[in-house]
């Protein structure tokens, strides 16, 4: 956490989280309140970031959209990383038929057009909880990471401490739980941080095309989709959610890059010793 990139990304992300979850308690406007006398007004002292096409305060809507996008991004990242860790570790440690069967499933998911599948499933998602959207996004996001985890597990299973645990009678689940997963923790942490940004972008893209979060609820994707029609004439309606989306993804990316560089440096030191 002492790496400059990690510190910078953490500071920006904490600021965004504070705006998203503490801002609505301090800001006087509600995200669903409509003021038809203040439709599409530019930023002012009354409406700090302007208003949207129905007179809603844009900052209040963006804070609400940030809440939903951050929650979806974090939930997808944790779920997809957990699935990738389980599938990749099982395939790499056991090998043989287990490896071939799991990797066949991974290959099948990799060749499927994700957006098309979600579009086909959109009638099922309509009117459902946003948690179902989390499951759908995570279902396609763990595949590449599972291959990386598999390769790492195949390397670790040949190490002396794993062999020693097996000779002492430790079975596969115990070896995976106490030896493989802890040694892959840095890799999984980096993957989880990156997945947050990827999931936020995925949710924004799906919501932009009408397959994600549904009105009256909002996310950054829905706000960008609504504002895109007025991007030229009323640019603040489009640029405000886009700016928050870019800042969020960049902050998460900086954290992941800082962690990666730190782990690479420590690994190089250990190799030299």
């Amino acid at each position: 956490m002492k790496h400059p990139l990690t510190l910078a990304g953490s500071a920006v992300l904490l600021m965004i989280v504070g705006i998203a979850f503490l801002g609505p308690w301090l800001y006087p406007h509600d995200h669903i309140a409509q003021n038809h006398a203040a439709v599409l007004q530019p930023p002012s002292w009354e409406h700090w970031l302007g208003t949207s096409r129905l007179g809603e305060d844009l900052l209040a809507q963006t804070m609400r959209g940030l809440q939903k996008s951050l929650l979806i991004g974090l939930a997808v990242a944790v779920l997809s990383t957990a699935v990738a860790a389980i599938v990749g570790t099982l395939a790499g440690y056991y090998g043989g038929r287990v490896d071939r069967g799991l990797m066949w499933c991974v290959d099948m998911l990799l060749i499927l057009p994700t957006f098309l599948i979600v579009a086909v499933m959109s009638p099922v998602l309509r009117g459902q909880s946003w948690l179902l959207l989390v499951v759908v996004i995570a279902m396609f996001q763990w595949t590449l990471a599972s291959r990386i985890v598999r390769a790492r597990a195949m390397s670790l299973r040949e190490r002396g401490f794993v062999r020693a645990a097996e000779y002492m009678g430790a079975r596969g689940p115990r070896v995976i739980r106490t030896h493989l997963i802890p040694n892959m923790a840095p890799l999984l942490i980096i993957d989880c941080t990156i997945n947050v940004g990827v999931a936020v972008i995925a949710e924004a893209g799906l919501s932009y095309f009408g397959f994600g979060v549904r009105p009256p609820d909002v996310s950054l994707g829905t706000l960008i989709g609504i504002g895109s029609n007025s991007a030229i004439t009323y640019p603040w309606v489009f640029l405000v959610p886009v700016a928050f989306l870019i800042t969020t993804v960049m902050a998460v990316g900086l954290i992941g890059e800082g962690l990666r560089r730190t782990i690479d440096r420590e690994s190089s030191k250990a190799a030299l010793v």
Side-chain angles (χ1 to χ4, degrees):
M1 293 300 295
K2 295 182 180 180
H3 195 281
L5 291 179
T6 307
L7 290 174
S10 299
V12 175
L13 188 60
L14 285 175
M15 181 184 67
I16 291 173
V17 172
I19 292 173
F21 291 95
L22 297 179
W25 295 89
L26 304 175
Y27 196 59
H29 297 284
D30 187 75
H31 74 282
I32 60 174
Q34 298 179 0
N35 183 1
H36 298 293
V39 174
L40 293 173
Q41 284 192 350
S44 62
W45 285 111
E46 183 179 1
H47 301 283
W48 294 0
L49 296 180
T51 59
S52 61
R53 60 180 183 176
L54 296 178
E56 303 102 327
D57 185 88
L58 193 56
L59 178 55
Q61 283 202 317
T62 303
M63 290 189 291
R64 175 64 180 181
L66 263 178
Q67 288 181 16
K68 190 54 61 70
S69 294
L70 288 172
L71 288 174
I72 291 175
L74 181 60
V76 169
V78 172
L79 181 58
S80 61
T81 302
V83 174
I86 294 171
V87 174
T89 305
L90 290 176
Y93 179 73
Y94 287 108
R97 293 182 179 179
V98 175
D99 182 24
R100 289 193 297 271
L102 291 175
M103 289 302 103
W104 181 84
C105 294
V106 170
D107 292 338
M108 289 299 295
L109 288 174
L110 284 173
I111 64 176
L112 289 175
T114 305
F115 191 84
L116 180 61
I117 297 298
V118 176
V120 172
M121 294 178 60
S122 61
V124 180
L125 298 177
R126 187 173 290 113
Q128 301 295 324
S129 170
W130 59 271
L131 294 175
L132 185 58
L133 178 63
V134 169
V135 175
V136 172
I137 297 176
M139 184 172 63
F140 295 96
Q141 196 166 310
W142 60 271
T143 50
L144 288 176
S146 67
R147 284 194 164 275
I148 300 174
V149 173
R150 169 181 173 266
R152 180 62 175 163
M154 293 176 67
S155 174
L156 288 173
R157 73 181 181 183
E158 305 298 331
R159 298 288 182 88
F161 62 89
V162 174
R163 293 300 186 189
E166 292 174 341
Y167 291 147
M168 294 176 66
R171 297 188 176 184
R174 180 176 176 83
V175 172
I176 291 174
R177 185 176 65 255
T178 60
H179 295 288
L180 296 187
I181 295 296
N183 278 279
M184 290 189 288
L187 173 65
L188 297 175
I189 291 172
I190 294 175
D191 180 66
C192 188
T193 56
I194 295 175
N195 280 338
V196 173
V198 175
V200 169
I201 293 177
E203 181 277 326
L206 291 172
S207 298
Y208 176 86
F209 288 104
F211 301 131
V213 176
R214 303 280 182 173
D217 206 352
V218 294
S219 70
L220 292 181
T222 58
L223 294 177
I224 292 172
I226 294 172
S228 62
N229 296 324
S230 307
I232 304 294
T233 53
Y234 306 101
W236 61 87
V237 180
F238 175 73
L239 294 178
V240 168
V242 167
F244 275 96
L245 175 65
I246 294 174
T247 305
T248 302
V249 175
M250 286 184 60
V252 176
L254 288 175
I255 295 174
E257 180 65 17
L259 291 174
R260 186 192 64 80
R261 292 188 181 185
T262 301
I263 292 171
D264 288 346
R265 184 174 64 248
E266 295 300 325
S267 299
S268 300
K269 291 181 181 179
L272 292 175
V273 174

